[in-house]
Amino acid sequence: MTSTLRLAEVTAANFDAAIELRVHPAQAHLVVPVVKSLAEAYVHPGVAWPRLIFDGDRLVGFLMAFLDIDFAGDGTGTDIRSGLWRLNIAAGEQGRGYGRFAVEAVAAEIRRRGGDRLTATWHAGGGRSERFYFKLGFRLTGEMSGDQVVGELALD
């Protein structure tokens, strides 16, 4: 990983490049396009934290975190979580540490806000994304979110 990695907000100046970002075709069915994530960020402005991942001036990925949501969705506020909502690394850019950088950046933001765990979801079955999260130290919670498993990373 280089020292030129950085996150940037999505702006009018980089919006077109952001929505053109594509993952590897074999993974397209596993993640939604960036434009859908940005639409969700628009309708969830207090929760969504979308960021572009740059290596120098080159756009290499997109992440969107969720911050302080009622994960159970039951309105009780007893299960407030923050974590990684979306991660899209551009085709041809995987295996270079950008995904790890994204998770570490989300972890840093959650810590900055006083959180002590990072939640993420992925498709189970031993695929590349599952191996990626396990390698970073995520542990399964035993929960499902739709058709995805839920994992957590302790931030202490």
Side-chain angles (χ1 to χ4, degrees), residues 1-52:
M1 190 173 358
T2 67
S3 61
T4 60
L5 296 180
R6 64 184 172 85
L7 295 183
E9 291 186 30
V10 179
T11 65
N14 61 31
F15 175 79
D16 287 334
I19 64 170
E20 290 301 318
L21 187 134
R22 300 286 183 265
V23 298
H24 189 278
Q27 298 170 327
H29 69 286
L30 298 173
V31 295
V32 301
V34 172
V35 70
K36 180 172 182 185
S37 293
L38 292 176
E40 288 174 323
Y42 177 81
V43 298
H44 299 285
V47 171
W49 193 71
R51 295 294 186 268
L52 298 176

Side-chain angles (χ1 to χ4, degrees), residues 10 14 80 85 110 113-114 117 129 140:
V10 179
N14 61 31
I80 303 300
W85 190 351
I110 291 170
R113 294 168 180 250
R117 64 182 171 160
S129 61
L140 294 173

Side-chain angles (χ1 to χ4, degrees), residues 55 108 116 127 131 145 152:
D55 188 348
D116 62 1
R131 288 189 305 271
S145 179
E152 285 189 343

Side-chain angles (χ1 to χ4, degrees), residues 12-131:
N14 61 31
F15 175 79
D16 287 334
I19 64 170
E20 290 301 318
L21 187 134
R22 300 286 183 265
V23 298
H24 189 278
Q27 298 170 327
H29 69 286
L30 298 173
V31 295
V32 301
V34 172
V35 70
K36 180 172 182 185
S37 293
L38 292 176
E40 288 174 323
Y42 177 81
V43 298
H44 299 285
V47 171
W49 193 71
R51 295 294 186 268
L52 298 176
I53 306 165
F54 283 91
D55 188 348
D57 292 330
R58 193 172 84 251
L59 176 62
V60 297
F62 169 83
L63 71 82
M64 187 161 73
F66 60 89
L67 301 168
D68 301 323
I69 67 159
D70 178 0
F71 197 78
D74 60 8
T76 64
T78 59
D79 189 14
I80 303 300
R81 299 188 200 184
S82 297
L84 188 61
W85 190 351
R86 299 280 162 64
L87 179 58
N88 303 51
I89 302 298
E93 300 290 356
Q94 295 183 3
R96 298 180 181 176
Y98 302 135
R100 175 181 289 277
F101 171 79
V103 171
E104 290 171 354
V106 170
E109 182 63 19
I110 291 170
R111 278 190 203 99
R112 188 184 73 74
R113 294 168 180 250
D116 62 1
R117 64 182 171 160
L118 189 162
T119 301
T121 63
W122 61 85
H123 294 278
R128 188 174 183 173
S129 61
E130 186 167 68
R131 288 189 305 271

